[in-house]
Each structure stands twice: as C-alpha cells, then as structure tokens.
Amino acid sequence: MAIYTLKEIESYAHKCRRCPLHKTRTKLVFGAGNPKADILFVGEAPGFYEDKSGQVFVGKSGQLLDKMLASIDLKREDIYIANIIKCRPPDNRSPTEEESTSCIEFLRWQVKIIQPKIIVCLGAVAAKNIISPDFRVSRQRGVWISRGSYSIIASYHPSALLRDESKKTEAWEDLKKIRQKLDE
C-alpha cells in the first residue's frame, strides 16, 4: 500500500469531480492543523466563509470552536480539523448522502495519515457518516465509541450552539470528557 501525504491527498481532492459540488464551489476546503495531532475534529461541510477563504471553520462557528478549544487548553495548532465533504453545498444545506459518500474517502485518507487517537464528530452529519447512519446527536452525544485504535465521540456542531445556547451546558460536558480522554 502506498503511503501518501496530506498535500498529495489535497491535490487529488482539488481534481475531484465525483459529485456536482465542484461546479459551485469557490475554493476547496481540505482541512487544517497539526498533521500529527492526537485529536481530529470533523464537521459536515464548508460554509460561506470557508468557501471564500479555503480555510476550515472560520466565521462565527469557527470563532466559537476556538473558544471551545481554549476552554480545554487546546489551540488549532494542537489539533487537526476537517469536514466530511470538502466543497460547500449551495445555500449551506446539509450534504446529500451521494455527496458524503463521494467525498468521505478523502477524510479516510486524512485519518490514515494523521492517525489521531481521538475523533470528535461535530454535529449529526459527521456522526452519521463516522459512527452510525441512525446516530442522533441530541440523544447519543457525549458517549465514547471505540473503533480499532480510535476513540470517537460526538457533540454539537458550533453552529447548533449559536442557534440554541441551551445546548452549551451539554457541549461543555462533552469538552471535559474530551480533555480527560486526551490526558489519559
């Protein structure tokens, strides 16, 4: 099996034409952070600001994610952040199953190369694609799942916390579990 680098996989992603999203994107949003991170955060898809900048988790959700990371003594340089899909769906809609299926191979390569100990699914789309298709974040978040050498947990996406601040207490509990697992 050939070993690739993140740059090589990103180059392949730039050439991807597996689904129609490549036609409407402004920029591909591959992922960013520490390529040797112990922890990988996974969202669903780039939004408006990500599509314009080509950077992952910028805008209000990214600002909140930075505060969430800081609350458990982490910075972006400590982690890696990616999405299930690499191109923005029109009008910030959730990715379709076809789009997710077409693009998830790039995330699988990111995981193989980075080899994180912990994977944090931010929101339902990430959790459904990584943990289980019938996963419900509102009911199953905050529970550790072991898959091979990975410890996986799901929590609310920062955009959900911006829409409903009552979920912030549960998200804080999830963050403390993540910090504890990281310290083990």
Side-chain angles (χ1 to χ4, degrees), residues 76-90:
R76 284 193 183 228
E77 301 81 45
D78 300 324
I79 66 167
Y80 196 90
I81 310 172
N83 283 309
I84 295 295
I85 65 170
K86 310 305 182 194
C87 300
R88 177 184 180 224

Side-chain angles (χ1 to χ4, degrees), residues 113-124:
I113 294 165
I114 297 164
Q115 298 182 354
K117 294 179 177 83
I118 298 170
I119 298 173
V120 179
C121 299
L122 295 171

Side-chain angles (χ1 to χ4, degrees), residues 16-161:
C16 180
R17 303 292 181 263
R18 294 179 189 164
C19 80
L21 291 180
H22 74 276
K23 296 176 188 173
T24 57
R25 74 175 183 224
T26 303
K27 291 190 177 180
L28 179 101
V29 182
F30 184 71
N34 182 346
K36 299 198 181 303
D38 287 335
I39 185 165
L40 169 67
F41 284 79
V42 180
E44 64 179 55
F48 175 82
Y49 295 105
E50 291 80 7
D51 182 53
K52 295 294 178 213
S53 68
Q55 299 299 314
V56 69
F57 274 89
V58 294
K60 290 180 182 176
S61 290
Q63 292 166 13
L64 180 54
L65 180 61
D66 290 344
K67 289 177 184 175
M68 293 165 68
L69 293 171
S71 76
I72 57 170
D73 199 30
L74 289 173
K75 302 180 295 288
R76 284 193 183 228
E77 301 81 45
D78 300 324
I79 66 167
Y80 196 90
I81 310 172
N83 283 309
I84 295 295
I85 65 170
K86 310 305 182 194
C87 300
R88 177 184 180 224
D91 302 319
N92 281 1
R93 67 165 168 71
S94 291
T96 65
E97 187 175 332
E98 174 199 353
E99 292 161 353
S100 296
T101 301
S102 296
C103 202
I104 199 160
E105 191 63 28
F106 295 114
L107 179 65
R108 288 184 180 127
W109 275 105
Q110 287 170 301
V111 171
K112 286 176 192 175
I113 294 165
I114 297 164
Q115 298 182 354
K117 294 179 177 83
I118 298 170
I119 298 173
V120 179
C121 299
L122 295 171
V125 172
K128 287 178 181 200
N129 279 277
I130 293 172
I131 299 171
S132 169
D134 59 351
F135 193 91
R136 306 290 298 201
V137 173
S138 57
R139 283 188 242 144
Q140 297 169 285
R141 49 140 285 283
V143 177
W144 287 106
I145 297 157
S146 292
R147 293 251 173 87
S149 62
Y150 307 112
S151 295
I152 305 169
I153 193 169
S155 189
Y156 295 110
H157 192 285
S159 64
L161 301 176

